[in-house]
């Protein structure tokens, strides 16, 4: 049973949540104005230097810095502002794994939709998708019509995959695998990392044509000879024969439980005896009382992305693998509320 938190802690959380949208957007402004990068390069700066750098008038900068210091991500030491070590780690880099990309995508794509949460929950559909033009009833399909939003979305997805990648690389059992099928492999970030870390492995990435196109542009040259791109609809098209390990990385969370079992059964069907299925992604606590990453993702999926799915608890994913015939089902909890659940075809 979930333990009751003391009132002081719930009050503290309440204030953080109630003021969260303002503070979140202040952090995004800090990113867009390159404040974290500037402070990192300089080792700190006063208001005059920041004003000159950002071009903001002094009073506007003053209120932005009030918000940023409130978050704790920037500290005030005398007259100088400096990055907290956590800001240095998460935000003061624009490299491919940076949280900068993730927060920009949450601002552009996620949070405008979240303002429509009650209506979408009542309607029982991902009606917040109306904000994006074009055909298709999922966010992924609509992004095919909006290259700029697609770039923001997939850059963030890749950043999150890179953040969480060490857990996957360390725990996925590909030592005895020859050929990985990366189902819903996105822009190829995960497949590329797995191929780099496992020189004997080859992979097939299956995804919708628009994602496969991105993968074509983004996958590093050093692995392209071991990676086959397979544009397909995973719901309606057959899975290719040949792979001995199917990976569902951040994919089953976008589908219903019934669809997930159907997809696992499809993978099971094409695997040889001894082949493996790995399910990797966000996992809510088995008692469904947390945590924040899983709660945010589950809401986003239902009101915007696909209108279904959630950060499935590990126990549920394990039961699915057993239900399609897998044995030796194992589950490991990883950082960022992630889990890796693996089963073997007997
Ligand atoms: C959340 S992303 C995961 C990407 C990648 N596997 C990762 O771990 O970062 C979900 C992926 O599933 C793909 N997808 C969703 N519906 C699909 C469908 N019907 N057929 C093929 N791919 C699909 C999306 O295009 C997207 O790349």
């Amino acid at each position: 049973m979930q333990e009751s938190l003391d009132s002081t802690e719930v009050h503290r959380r309440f204030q953080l949540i109630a003021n969260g949208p303002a503070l979140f957007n202040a952090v995004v402004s800090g990113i867009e104005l390159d404040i974290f990068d500037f402070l990192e390069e300089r080792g700190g700066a006063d208001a005059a230097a920041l004003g000159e750098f950002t071009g903001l008038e002094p009073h506007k900068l003053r209120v932005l810095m009030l918000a940023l210091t409130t978050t704790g991500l920037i500290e005030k030491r005398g007259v100088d502002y400096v990055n907290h070590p956590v800001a240095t780690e998460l935000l003061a880099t624009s490299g491919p794994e940076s949280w900068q990309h993730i927060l920009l995508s949450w601002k552009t794509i996620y949070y405008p939709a979240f303002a429509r949460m009650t209506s979408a929950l009542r309607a029982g559909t991902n009606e917040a998708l109306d904000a994006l033009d074009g055909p298709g009833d999922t966010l992924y399909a609509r992004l095919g019509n909006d290259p700029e939003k697609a770039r923001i979305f997939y850059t963030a997805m890749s950043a999150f995959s890179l953040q969480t990648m060490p857990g996957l690389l360390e725990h996925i059992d590909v030592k005895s695998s020859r050929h990985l099928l990366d189902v819903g492999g996105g822009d190829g970030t995960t497949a590329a990392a797995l191929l780099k870390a496992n020189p004997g492995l080859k992979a097939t990435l299956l995804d919708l044509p628009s994602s496969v196109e991105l993968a074509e542009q983004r996958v590093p040259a050093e692995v392209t000879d071991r990676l086959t791109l397979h544009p397909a609809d995973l719901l309606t098209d057959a899975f290719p024969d040949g792979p001995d390990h199917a990976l569902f990385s951040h994919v089953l969370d976008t589908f219903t439980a019934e669809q997930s079992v159907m997809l696992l059964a499809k993978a099971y069907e094409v695997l040889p005896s001894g082949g493996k299925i790995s399910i990797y992604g966000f996992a809510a606590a088995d008692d469904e009382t947390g945590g924040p990453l899983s709660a945010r993702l589950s809401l986003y999926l239902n009101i915007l992305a696909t209108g279904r799915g959630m950060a499935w608890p590990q126990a549920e994913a394990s039961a699915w693998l057993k239900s399609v015939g897998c044995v030796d089902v194992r589950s490991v909890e990883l950082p960022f509320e992630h889990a890796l659940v693996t089963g073997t075809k007997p």
Side-chain angles (χ1 to χ4, degrees), residues 234-235 239 248 252 255 259-268:
L234 56 78
L235 286 175
F239 287 178
F248 293 85
L252 297 184
F255 294 104
Q259 286 171 318
S260 298
V261 172
M262 181 275 284
L263 292 170
L264 294 170
K266 253 166 102 166
Y268 186 90

Side-chain angles (χ1 to χ4, degrees), residues 140 154 157 161 182-186 190 206-208 211 232-235 249-251 254-255:
Y140 310 110
Y154 285 105
M157 187 186 286
S161 299
D182 188 5
V183 185
T190 304
L206 184 156
D207 208 302
L208 295 169
S211 306
D233 186 321
L234 56 78
L235 286 175
S249 167
H250 300 123
V251 167
T254 67
F255 294 104

Side-chain angles (χ1 to χ4, degrees), residues 5-340:
L5 296 166
D6 75 44
S7 298
T8 311
E9 173 58 13
V10 179
H11 272 292
R12 196 190 67 79
R13 288 189 189 194
F14 175 76
Q15 288 304 334
L16 208 55
I17 291 161
N19 295 289
L23 298 179
F24 170 82
N25 283 291
V27 173
V28 171
S29 293
I31 293 170
E32 290 173 336
L33 292 164
D34 291 326
I35 288 176
F36 297 103
D37 305 79
F38 181 69
L39 293 180
E40 200 61 26
E41 262 169 44
R42 294 280 203 98
D46 63 13
L50 274 170
E52 194 177 326
F53 175 69
T54 58
L56 295 188
E57 68 168 74
H59 187 72
K60 305 305 177 214
L61 179 70
R62 184 177 177 184
V63 294
L64 176 61
M65 296 315 288
L66 166 64
L68 289 176
T69 50
T70 299
T71 66
L73 288 164
I74 289 181
E75 293 177 324
K76 203 168 178 186
R77 302 231 182 101
V79 295
D80 280 341
Y81 294 98
V82 294
N83 284 332
H84 185 278
V86 173
T88 299
E89 179 197 333
L90 302 179
L91 297 172
T93 156
S94 48
E97 75 299 342
S98 175
W99 271 84
Q100 291 196 2
H101 307 301
I102 299 167
L103 297 193
L104 288 173
S105 138
W106 289 5
K107 171 201 148 177
T108 311
I109 296 163
Y110 282 53
Y111 288 143
F114 280 12
R116 301 175 59 179
M117 189 177 299
T118 313
S119 163
L121 290 175
R122 279 207 175 109
T125 67
N126 54 336
E127 67 167 32
L129 195 59
D130 295 352
L132 278 105
D133 293 331
D137 54 9
T138 68
L139 176 64
Y140 310 110
R142 295 264 171 113
L143 286 172
N145 314 308
D146 190 332
E148 179 52 13
K149 282 214 175 82
R151 187 192 62 75
I152 293 171
F153 179 81
Y154 285 105
T155 303
M157 187 186 286
S158 160
F160 218 114
S161 299
L162 289 169
Q163 291 276 345
T164 56
M165 196 71 75
L168 177 66
L169 292 180
E170 192 181 327
H171 292 278
I172 189 170
D173 182 9
V174 284
K175 281 182 288 299
S176 57
S177 306
R178 284 176 298 101
H179 187 168
L180 186 80
L181 176 63
D182 188 5
V183 185
D187 73 352
T189 303
T190 304
L194 283 165
L195 289 175
K196 272 193 211 168
N198 298 281
L201 190 67
K202 61 180 179 170
T204 297
L205 182 155
L206 184 156
D207 208 302
L208 295 169
S210 55
S211 306
V212 165
E213 226 168 82
L214 271 178
E216 211 157 10
Q217 294 159 18
R218 291 184 174 184
V219 167
E222 64 186 285
V223 299
T224 46
D225 58 333
R226 289 186 285 136
L227 181 66
T228 305
L229 298 176
H230 188 92
D233 186 321
L234 56 78
L235 286 175
T236 51
D237 295 326
F239 287 178
D241 281 323
D244 58 357
H245 193 147
L247 169 65
F248 293 85
S249 167
H250 300 123
V251 167
L252 297 184
D253 43 14
T254 67
F255 294 104
T256 64
E258 294 72 25
Q259 286 171 318
S260 298
V261 172
M262 181 275 284
L263 292 170
L264 294 170
K266 253 166 102 166
Y268 186 90
E269 192 69 29
V270 296
L271 291 177
S273 166
K276 291 192 163 64
I277 303 180
S278 291
I279 304 172
Y280 172 69
F282 292 92
D286 278 342
D287 69 358
E288 298 187 23
T289 59
L293 289 166
S294 299
R296 178 196 47 81
L297 176 83
S298 301
L299 287 165
Y300 147 83
L301 290 167
N302 283 276
I303 66 174
L304 176 69
T306 57
R308 60 192 177 222
M310 69 179 291
W312 299 107
Q314 292 174 60
E316 201 152 343
S318 300
W320 294 342
L321 283 175
K322 287 178 193 157
S323 78
V324 301
C326 284
V327 295
D328 195 19
V329 174
R330 294 158 193 238
S331 175
V332 51
E333 217 170 294
L334 298 169
F336 296 103
E337 296 174 27
H338 271 55
L340 176 69

